[in-house]
Amino acid sequence: MGKTKKQKNILEETEERRFPLCGREGKGSQSCETFGELCGLWLQERYTEVKKSTYFNYHYCIYRHILPVFERSALRQLSGDEILTFIGRMREKGLADSTMNSVLITFRSVLRHGIRMGDLDDSLLQYCRMHCRRQESRILIHQDSLPMKEYLLGKNDIFSVGVLLCRGTGIRIGELCGLKWGDLDFSSNTFKIRRTISRIANPEHSDGQPKTVLYVRPPKSATSAREIPIPQYLADILRAMRKDGEFYLLTGSTVCTEPRNVQKRFKTILRHCKMQDCNFHAMRHGFATACLEQGIDCKTVSSILGHASTRTTMDFYAHTSLRQKENCINMIS
């Protein structure tokens, strides 16, 4: 029996699975002559070393931005001026700083590979840099989201409860989409993050096939696979709604939804509540900020968020809020 259209558009990695190699065939340990050959070799080696979603991000950066410029460039003739011109042209195109940063991270990694192989001079690395100011992440302050909380509690549907679960625990949008009823344990009132969902380039893309697919995979790290308490006020609501353990929480079926659908519905909720526009991820920032402002230790917050280290938590969330500044001034005054 053939797969349904929905099943074709979902790629699930529940065990080690080989995907078709999207990069060009490498030459093993043999030296490369062009930058295009070097990119293919580098992609081939990354294929077994990184998560598939990371691999396809590398693949996109190389095929969309790097190879159109450098595919036929001779390695021995590659110059710093060419790299600077490449960076300048990306700026002229108006690419987002985040996109340019991803492209240059990939470009530097390919350069380093060529340097290790003895095909490139390490002086080229100094040209492959970009200075950009990191934009402050939008934070949906917990206090500011109280109107949304009251509105969603009144709706009493599973999507509303799912949004509140994110607001109260800081889980990622892909983790919410991947949550199944079997991940909830009502005896201990906890739930486990066992999978996450994202949209990636289709590794089996061909004529008639979609260019992208939903990618269902285990959490990206050991710390991302975690157990989290269910907020007390949601436990009884979820218990009354529960379905078969194999059903996804948000859909009530064996077919998952995707982050962009959740994002669209979230924006509608914000408009209904007359709240300032923000992305779904702003709730995660708001949760983390609220925890730290309440004096909860960073190790606990880091564990709930699924960060690999407390340093990640501090780097992202331990900025000083205006409320903290006011408290400091008033204490001294």
Side-chain angles (χ1 to χ4, degrees):
M1 182 180 295
K3 294 183 178 180
T4 66
K5 183 176 180 180
K6 283 187 176 180
Q7 287 175 323
K8 283 183 180 179
N9 293 343
I10 297 176
L11 180 64
E12 187 163 5
E13 184 184 6
T14 54
E15 58 184 352
E16 185 56 34
R17 164 181 173 158
R18 291 295 298 174
F19 297 92
L21 183 62
C22 294
R24 298 169 186 270
E25 290 298 322
K27 293 187 175 184
S29 59
Q30 184 177 343
S31 293
C32 300
E33 295 181 1
T34 67
F35 202 80
E37 292 175 353
L38 180 62
C39 286
L41 180 60
W42 182 82
L43 270 178
Q44 188 177 41
E45 295 194 3
R46 296 291 79 70
Y47 184 73
T48 56
E49 297 176 355
V50 299
K51 287 284 186 182
K52 300 301 180 288
S53 53
T54 303
Y55 172 82
F56 289 117
N57 182 57
Y58 290 152
H59 184 274
Y60 175 81
C61 288
I62 285 175
Y63 279 87
R64 179 68 178 83
H65 297 287
I66 298 175
L67 287 188
V69 178
F70 293 103
E71 181 170 16
R72 300 184 184 280
S73 297
L75 291 180
R76 298 295 181 180
Q77 298 175 13
L78 189 64
S79 69
D81 286 342
E82 288 180 274
I83 296 174
L84 292 176
T85 300
F86 171 60
I87 295 173
R89 286 177 179 171
M90 284 199 293
R91 286 195 182 281
E92 290 172 1
K93 290 178 181 178
L95 296 180
D97 282 351
S98 57
T99 300
M100 292 180 61
N101 192 49
S102 294
V103 172
L104 288 180
I105 287 174
T106 305
F107 194 93
R108 280 198 298 271
S109 296
V110 176
L111 285 180
R112 289 193 182 99
H113 191 67
I115 292 167
R116 287 193 297 270
M117 293 175 61
D119 292 329
L120 290 173
D121 189 277
D122 60 5
S123 63
L124 291 174
L125 289 174
Q126 65 182 305
Y127 298 96
C128 193
R129 300 184 184 281
M130 182 190 71
H131 299 286
C132 63
R133 182 179 179 184
R134 180 180 171 184
Q135 292 184 338
E136 287 290 330
S137 299
R138 172 84 170 89
I139 298 174
L140 182 55
I141 302 299
H142 240 44
Q143 194 68 21
D144 294 343
S145 64
L146 286 176
M148 182 182 71
K149 177 183 177 182
E150 295 305 316
Y151 169 72
L152 293 177
L153 283 174
K155 295 280 288 183
N156 196 36
D157 59 63
I158 191 57
F159 182 83
S160 299
V161 176
V163 173
L164 290 173
L165 189 65
C166 288
R167 178 185 179 273
T169 63
I171 62 174
R172 302 174 179 93
I173 189 171
E175 293 170 340
L176 172 64
C177 292
L179 202 60
K180 292 184 177 183
W181 282 102
D183 300 325
L184 279 65
D185 183 351
F186 291 108
S187 62
S188 62
N189 279 344
T190 60
F191 66 98
K192 292 182 179 179
I193 299 298
R194 291 190 170 106
R195 68 196 66 78
T196 185
I197 294 174
S198 58
R199 181 165 285 280
I200 65 170
N202 187 359
E204 300 172 350
H205 175 58
S206 59
D207 291 341
Q209 294 294 319
K211 291 183 178 180
T212 62
V213 291
L214 281 187
Y215 182 30
V216 184
R217 62 171 173 80
K220 63 181 181 180
S221 67
T223 51
S224 292
R226 59 203 189 277
E227 186 174 20
I228 305 172
I230 300 172
Q232 275 188 333
Y233 77 99
L234 293 179
D236 288 341
I237 299 175
L238 283 166
R239 186 180 289 108
M241 292 179 169
R242 67 176 157 184
K243 296 182 181 292
D244 185 278
E246 286 302 308
F247 288 176
Y248 284 96
L249 186 81
L250 292 184
T251 63
S253 72
T254 56
V255 177
C256 62
T257 188
E258 65 173 293
R260 66 182 179 185
N261 290 337
V262 175
Q263 189 77 261
K264 289 177 183 176
R265 293 185 64 179
F266 178 68
K267 298 275 189 176
T268 301
I269 291 170
L270 292 177
R271 288 193 295 271
H272 182 89
C273 296
K274 296 180 171 57
M275 293 171 59
Q276 185 176 349
D277 183 60
C278 63
N279 289 326
F280 196 91
H281 203 72
M283 284 196 298
R284 178 172 168 85
H285 293 314
F287 170 80
T289 301
C291 288
L292 294 173
E293 286 184 348
Q294 290 296 317
I296 299 172
D297 66 279
C298 189
K299 184 174 179 59
T300 298
V301 179
S302 179
S303 177
I304 294 172
L305 294 174
H307 287 159
S309 70
T310 55
R311 180 176 179 178
T312 303
T313 308
M314 296 301 290
D315 286 346
F316 274 94
Y317 302 112
H319 58 278
T320 306
S321 69
L322 179 59
R323 184 160 56 250
Q324 288 172 306
K325 292 176 183 177
E326 290 173 345
N327 291 339
C328 176
I329 295 297
N330 291 330
M331 287 175 64
I332 299 300
S333 301

